[in-house]
Amino acid sequence: MSDALINGLAGAGGGFVAELITYPLQTVSTRQQIERDPSNSTSRDGIIRQMYQVVKQEGWERLYGGLTPSLVGMAASQGVYYYFYQVFRNRAESAALKRWKKGVGDGSISIFQSITVAALSGCINVLLTNPIWVVVTRMQTYKKTNKMQPTHGLPCAFDETSRNAVVENISYRTSHVVQEVYDDAGLWGFWNGVTPTLIMVSNPTIQFMLYETILKNLRRKRASNLKGADGLTTLEIFLLGAIAKLGATLVTYPLLVVKSRLQVKQGLDDDKRYHYKGIFDAIEKMIYYEGLSGLYKGMSTKIVQSVFAAAILFMVKEELVKAAHLLVTGDISLIQNLRLKSSR
């Protein structure tokens, strides 16, 4: 089994676990991002209170709206990203080694090469999985209300606060959303928000650059191979992933808000303030009507969710990669030592 495949499957497994645990936070964060009324008091509520309001007004299931396509999307995204990341990195390392044999360089890849590898992997991931996230965003922002009017063959209401079309008292399934997106904009509708998402490739680029730089330095200081990730403990991997994700999120968050605004269903009225033609039109209107703070709505919730999810992802991924290598190499003594240590 190749390293690329092992890392791809491990990344998918880590993403699945992280998404499952942190999904309610993601739902609240997305709803905060698309909130367009600065005077709405709910936009100033804390994370716990907003989760409570969702459960009270719409039921527990709304905190997990779109969970199934989101899990599929997360597993697919992490699998695609880690697979191509490892493929490109292996080629870069192979090229660096050849140059070293010719007396050029030290045999390792540069930071610039690491950034390029991460960026290429991220772009491929975005182009392949964006349709899934369009569906997830719409399902997360669906709300129940009492005002009724038809749309796309489904009973629909218009929420004056969030200014989104919403379905009332029926199961809002993935098939409904797919049909809705197609009716709205055709096949291209599934790539709404792809431009800011491609720009946001810088997020995992920054994240992995920070992660690998710190990880490389820590590995040099550890001699033992009996702790996960070449001498690092599971807790250290958890904290390292959290630090890397925190730094990346602080830089790229405004693009995430723009992406959510472009992917969510536009309002049913003719108010041009709430209709976005593209990324620049969205940014201009958000700043004009909502102020600069509009670009950072839901940031605190997203940071909590992203940092926690990234920490879980890295922790699970590293453990899965280690376990896969143990199974492939058949190092029974090392497995027994790990089991003995975990039983103490």
Side-chain angles (χ1 to χ4, degrees):
M1 184 181 295
S2 68
D3 285 341
L5 182 57
I6 289 176
N7 277 271
L9 293 175
F16 184 92
V17 174
E19 187 79 354
L20 187 63
I21 293 175
T22 65
Y23 195 78
L25 289 172
Q26 187 180 135
T27 296
V28 171
S29 173
T30 303
R31 290 190 176 204
Q32 290 173 336
Q33 290 166 4
I34 68 163
E35 176 54 62
R36 306 177 191 190
D37 184 2
S39 63
N40 186 6
S41 60
T42 59
S43 64
R44 296 186 291 272
D45 290 339
I47 300 174
I48 302 300
R49 180 167 178 76
Q50 288 206 14
M51 292 177 66
Y52 170 75
Q53 290 297 329
V54 172
V55 173
K56 180 181 178 181
Q57 297 173 11
E58 306 173 52
W60 280 98
E61 68 276 6
R62 293 315 313 148
L63 284 177
Y64 293 90
L67 177 61
T68 299
S70 183
L71 289 174
V72 172
M74 178 56 70
S77 293
Q78 295 300 327
V80 169
Y81 182 85
Y82 280 111
Y83 177 80
F84 283 101
Y85 180 83
Q86 195 64 44
V87 168
F88 294 143
R89 186 175 180 83
N90 287 344
R91 292 184 179 181
E93 289 177 342
S94 177
L97 185 60
K98 289 180 180 179
R99 290 195 299 270
W100 175 73
K101 290 180 178 180
K102 294 179 181 180
V104 179
D106 60 359
S108 63
I109 65 175
S110 65
I111 294 178
F112 176 76
Q113 289 174 312
S114 293
I115 293 175
T116 302
V117 165
L120 289 174
S121 304
C123 288
I124 293 175
N125 173 41
V126 167
L127 293 174
L128 292 178
T129 64
N130 194 76
I132 301 175
W133 298 115
V134 172
V135 172
V136 171
T137 299
R138 293 210 177 190
M139 294 186 76
Q140 287 177 333
T141 56
Y142 153 73
K143 296 182 181 179
K144 294 181 179 179
T145 186
N146 293 322
K147 300 177 183 179
M148 305 292 291
Q149 65 183 44
T151 183
H152 298 292
L154 298 172
C156 179
F158 187 72
D159 186 334
E160 295 293 345
T161 300
S162 66
R163 309 194 68 83
N164 292 302
V166 295
V167 177
E168 167 65 19
N169 294 330
I170 68 170
S171 177
Y172 195 47
R173 299 176 180 174
T174 303
S175 59
H176 295 154
V177 183
V178 171
Q179 184 63 51
E180 182 182 80
V181 173
Y182 182 79
D183 290 344
D184 283 346
L187 287 176
W188 287 115
F190 293 98
W191 277 269
N192 283 338
V194 72
T195 300
T197 308
L198 283 172
I199 299 174
M200 283 176 60
V201 164
S202 60
N203 184 291
T205 298
I206 296 170
Q207 175 185 341
F208 277 94
M209 183 178 65
L210 289 173
Y211 177 78
E212 291 204 344
T213 299
I214 301 174
L215 182 62
K216 185 177 181 179
N217 291 331
L218 288 176
R219 279 176 169 170
R220 289 175 178 175
K221 300 178 181 179
R222 305 297 173 87
S224 173
N225 288 324
L226 299 181
K227 298 178 181 178
D230 295 341
L232 298 181
T233 66
T234 301
L235 177 60
E236 287 171 328
I237 292 295
F238 182 95
L239 294 176
L240 181 56
I243 292 172
K245 188 62 178 182
L246 177 60
T249 300
L250 289 173
V251 175
T252 60
Y253 187 79
L255 290 171
L256 183 61
V257 177
V258 173
K259 177 189 75 73
S260 296
R261 296 287 183 96
L262 293 174
Q263 290 182 342
V264 77
K265 183 174 176 61
Q266 301 296 308
L268 297 178
D269 63 357
D270 295 324
D271 194 335
K272 294 183 180 180
R273 294 179 302 172
Y274 305 108
H275 290 263
Y276 304 131
K277 299 177 182 179
I279 178 173
F280 296 110
D281 183 52
I283 292 174
E284 180 182 358
K285 289 180 178 177
M286 287 168 63
I287 294 176
Y288 185 80
Y289 293 111
E290 304 171 48
L292 287 174
S293 61
L295 295 173
Y296 291 91
K297 286 185 174 178
M299 185 174 183
S300 60
T301 305
K302 186 60 180 178
I303 287 177
V304 173
Q305 186 270 329
S306 296
V307 170
F308 192 34
I312 295 172
L313 187 154
F314 280 117
M315 180 179 66
V316 174
K317 173 185 172 292
E318 294 291 353
E319 293 301 313
L320 290 177
V321 168
K322 181 180 68 176
H325 281 139
L326 290 177
L327 291 175
V328 171
T329 60
D331 194 339
I332 302 300
S333 62
L334 185 53
I335 295 176
Q336 291 174 341
N337 287 334
L338 289 171
R339 286 178 176 175
L340 180 59
K341 182 176 180 182
S342 65
S343 65
R344 291 176 180 175

